[in-house]
Each structure stands twice: as C-alpha cells, then as structure tokens.
C-alpha cells in the first residue's frame, strides 16, 4: 500500500511538473512573441525618428524661406510705394512760374495764384482753378544778393 501511495504521489508530482512545463512553454512562446514585437516597435520608432529628423530639416528650410519672403515683402511694399509716387507725379500737370519778385505771394500762395493767373492769362476759368500743390523752389532769400526763388 505504501508503494501505491508513493506511486500515486509520484504520478501526481509528474503531472504537476508536466503542467508547469506546459505553462513555462506557453510563457516562453509569449516571451519570444513579445521580444519579436518589441524589436518591431523599436524599428518603427527608429523609422519615426528618422522621419521626424527629415521633417525638422524641411521645417527649418521653410522657416528660412519664409523669413526671406518677409524681407522681400517689405522690399516689394517699399517699391510699390515708390512706384505709386512716381506714377502720381507723372500724371500731374505741373506748371512752373518764373520771374515773380521774391515774397510777392505773401503768406497764402494759393490765394495769390487764384488771383494772379486769371489776370495774367486774361482767361476766366470755369470751373475755377484747382491746385493740388503749390510751393516755392528753394528757401527764401535772406538778403538781396541771391537770385530770386521760383514759384
């Protein structure tokens, strides 16, 4: 009977060892699969890092290009302003009046021109004359030695 009990115990121990062995095989297979998946994820991460590095370089290049566009935009804006000024100047009907004595226009050059031009030309302007700008050429003379300025 002791042999039967000992045999049953040995048989039971062998079954449990076999069950533990099967569990260990399953765990080993799971570890192999987990290791393979980890390697795959590492490769994916390395690929993503490479892509991110490439994107960083492209973003830096785009930022540099945008900065140069900003400079060009400022330059273009300045050139457009100059062009507009030149176009405006070319459309004006400029009239230069010479030979008027120094200071004859007084304080208000527009009033003087509205009064004197119809008298000098003997023309009645209808509609009345319109002046965009009127200014003296050069500074006012301080003494009588300088030539007279032009209106």
């Amino acid at each position: 009977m002791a042999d039967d009990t000992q045999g049953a115990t040995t048989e039971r121990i062998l079954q449990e060892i076999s069950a533990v062995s099967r569990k260990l095989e399953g765990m080993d297979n799971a570890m192999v699969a987990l290791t393979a998946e980890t390697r795959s994820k590492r490769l994916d991460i390395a690929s993503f890092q490479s892509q991110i590095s490439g994107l960083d370089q492209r973003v830096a290049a785009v930022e540099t290009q945008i900065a140069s566009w900003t400079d060009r935009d400022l330059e273009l804006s300045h050139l457009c302003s100059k062009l507009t000024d030149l176009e405006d100047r070319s459309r004006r009907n400029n009239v230069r009046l010479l030979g008027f004595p120094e200071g004859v226009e007084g304080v208000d050059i527009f009033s003087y021109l509205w009064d004197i031009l119809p008298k000098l030309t003997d023309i009645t302007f209808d509609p009345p004359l319109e002046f965009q700008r009127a200014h003296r050429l050069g500074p006012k003379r301080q003494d009588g030695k300088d030539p007279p300025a032009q209106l």
Side-chain angles (χ1 to χ4, degrees):
M1 177 111 142
D3 281 340
D4 282 341
T5 318
Q6 194 176 11
T9 303
T10 304
E11 184 67 32
R12 192 168 152 211
I13 291 173
L14 287 173
Q15 286 176 353
E16 286 188 27
I17 289 174
S18 177
V20 169
S21 176
R22 282 192 303 272
K23 286 182 181 179
L24 286 174
E25 277 183 29
M27 289 174 75
D28 190 40
N29 290 340
M31 286 298 288
V32 168
L34 187 59
T35 302
E37 188 173 335
T38 302
R39 282 187 190 133
S40 171
K41 296 302 177 196
R42 282 184 185 162
L43 291 173
D44 289 346
I45 289 171
S47 172
F48 290 147
Q49 286 174 335
S50 174
Q51 289 176 358
I52 288 172
S53 175
L55 290 174
D56 280 344
Q57 291 173 354
R58 290 175 60 189
V59 166
V62 167
E63 286 173 342
T64 302
Q65 193 173 24
I66 287 173
S68 73
W69 287 348
T70 302
D71 293 342
R72 288 181 186 153
D73 190 39
L74 289 173
E75 183 181 359
L76 181 61
S77 175
H78 177 70
L79 291 174
C80 284
S81 175
K82 286 176 78 174
L83 178 64
T84 300
D85 184 53
L86 288 172
E87 287 175 343
D88 287 348
R89 287 178 191 264
S90 71
R91 286 190 207 122
R92 291 184 195 144
N93 294 320
N94 294 322
V95 176
R96 182 177 285 196
L97 304 174
L98 304 173
F100 285 91
E102 183 77 29
V104 73
E105 75 278 1
V107 179
D108 187 8
I109 195 168
F110 286 113
S111 296
Y112 179 74
L113 291 174
W114 276 312
D115 289 340
I116 196 70
L117 286 178
K119 292 176 188 174
L120 290 175
T121 58
D122 202 25
I123 299 173
T124 305
F125 294 98
D126 190 28
L129 289 175
E130 181 180 322
F131 298 105
Q132 291 177 340
R133 294 185 181 138
H135 52 89
R136 301 173 40 82
L137 297 180
K140 280 191 175 187
R141 293 186 315 159
Q142 298 302 322
D143 56 26
K145 296 178 184 175
D146 294 330
Q150 300 171 6
L151 287 180

